[in-house]
Structure formats: C-alpha cells, structure tokens
C-alpha cells in the first residue's frame, strides 16, 4: 500500500511539474509579447514626435522666411499676406499636435508673440521706416529660434 502511494505521488509530482513547466512557459511567452507590444508602441510614438518636430521646425523656418520677405520688401501682394497667414496657421496646428502627443507644455505666449510680430499692422507695413522694419526682423528671427528650440526630441 505504501509502495502504491509512493508510485501515485511520484506520478502526481511529475504531472504537477509538467503542468508547472507548461504554465511558466506560457507566462513567459505572454509576458514577452506584452513587453514587445509596449516597446513597439513607445518607439512608434517617439518616431511620430521626431517627425512632427522636424515638420514643425521646417514650418517655423518657412514662416520666418515668408515673414521676413513680407516685412522687408515694399512690393508685396495680398497673396503674400495670405501665404504668410497660411504658414502661421500650419505652425499653430503642428504645435497643437506636438503638445498633445509629447505632453510638453504648449508655448501659448511664444506663439502669441510670434503671430503678433508677423501679422500686426500688416496693412501698414509699407509705411514702416527702415529702423522699425529691422527691429521687426530681429524680433521675428529671435522668436523663430525660440520656437524651434521649444520642443525637445525624445531620448
């Protein structure tokens, strides 16, 4: 009887060990999948942020170029004014997208100053004297650099 008991318990241990190995294997497989999926999502998000930052910086530079062209040339058309406003709207849209995706603070004061320097008194730009135009150019360039440096690339 005791011998039979030992045989049954040894088989049970073998079955329990086998079941435990099976369970451990599946836990490790599922855990690996979860880690892989989470890592993949983080990498995708970082990639999206980097792409948006590059697009943001390009749009800020294009907007700066359009703005400087607008303020330093005396023969600009309403089409130039429209293009400048379109570029500025793109900068604002990309900034909002970056803010949502990266959770970095939205640069509302900086965007407000930038928009103001680019668009304030647009209809009177031809009446500005050279000194005022140069000051406007410096302000636009300075704010453009600050905007480009506002968002950090993820590590």
């Amino acid at each position: 009887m005791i011998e039979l008991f030992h045989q049954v318990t040894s088989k049970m241990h073998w079955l329990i060990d086998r079941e435990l190995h099976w369970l451990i294997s599946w836990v490790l497989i599922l855990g690996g999948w979860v880690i892989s999926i989470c890592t993949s999502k983080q990498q995708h998000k970082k990639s999206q942020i980097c792409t948006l930052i590059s697009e943001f910086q390009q749009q800020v530079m294009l907007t700066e170029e359009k703005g400087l062209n607008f303020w330093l040339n005396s023969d600009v058309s309403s089409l130039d004014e429209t293009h400048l406003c379109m570029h500025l709207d793109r900068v604002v849209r990309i900034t909002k997208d970056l803010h949502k995706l990266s959770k970095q603070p939205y640069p509302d004061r900086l965007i407000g100053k930038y928009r103001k320097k680019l668009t304030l008194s647009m209809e009177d730009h031809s009446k500005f004297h050279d000194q005022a135009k140069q000051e406007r150019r410096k302000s636009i360039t300075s704010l453009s650099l600050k905007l480009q440096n506002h968002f950090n690339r993820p590590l």
Side-chain angles (χ1 to χ4, degrees), residues 27 75-76 81 133 140 151:
V27 166
D75 58 332
V76 290
E81 186 177 325
K133 286 183 180 182
I140 290 171
F151 289 104

Side-chain angles (χ1 to χ4, degrees), residues 45-146:
K45 185 177 178 180
K46 284 181 182 181
S47 174
Q48 282 181 313
I49 291 171
C50 286
T51 302
L52 267 177
I53 287 174
S54 294
E55 185 180 344
F56 171 74
Q57 290 174 338
Q58 288 174 347
Q59 281 301 319
V60 170
M61 286 188 285
L62 282 171
T63 305
E64 176 187 8
E65 184 181 319
K66 293 278 186 193
L68 292 176
N69 187 35
F70 180 85
W71 283 103
L72 297 177
N73 291 334
S74 55
D75 58 332
V76 290
S77 66
S78 62
L79 185 60
D80 293 326
E81 186 177 325
T82 303
H83 283 166
L84 176 59
C85 290
M86 283 173 36
H87 279 286
L88 191 55
D89 288 341
R90 280 189 203 130
V91 167
V92 171
R93 180 186 49 80
I94 294 170
T95 305
K96 287 179 181 176
D97 291 346
L98 266 171
H99 167 65
K100 288 177 190 172
L101 193 60
S102 71
K103 304 297 185 213
Q104 292 184 12
Y106 183 77
D108 50 353
R109 287 186 176 163
L110 197 53
I111 289 285
K113 287 179 184 178
Y114 193 59
R115 181 183 290 265
K116 194 180 230 181
K117 286 294 178 185
L118 284 169
T119 60
L120 190 65
S121 307
M122 283 181 112
E123 62 280 349
D124 298 332
H125 89 282
S126 59
K127 298 176 187 174
F128 276 47
H129 55 82
D130 288 339
Q131 177 73 21
K133 286 183 180 182
Q134 290 302 321
E135 288 174 13
R136 181 69 61 116
R137 181 192 64 79
K138 287 179 185 176
S139 296
I140 290 171
T141 303
S142 171
L143 289 168
S144 176
L145 286 172
K146 286 180 184 176

Side-chain angles (χ1 to χ4, degrees), residues 21-35:
H21 289 294
W22 178 85
L23 180 67
I24 291 172
S25 297
W26 276 105
V27 166
L28 288 174
I29 289 170
L30 292 175
W33 282 350
V34 168
I35 291 170

Side-chain angles (χ1 to χ4, degrees), residues 3-18:
E3 201 171 296
L4 181 65
F5 177 75
H6 284 298
Q7 286 178 349
V8 170
T9 55
S10 69
K11 286 185 180 187
M12 284 179 58
H13 283 299
W14 181 78
L15 283 175
I16 290 172
D17 286 346
R18 196 170 132 201

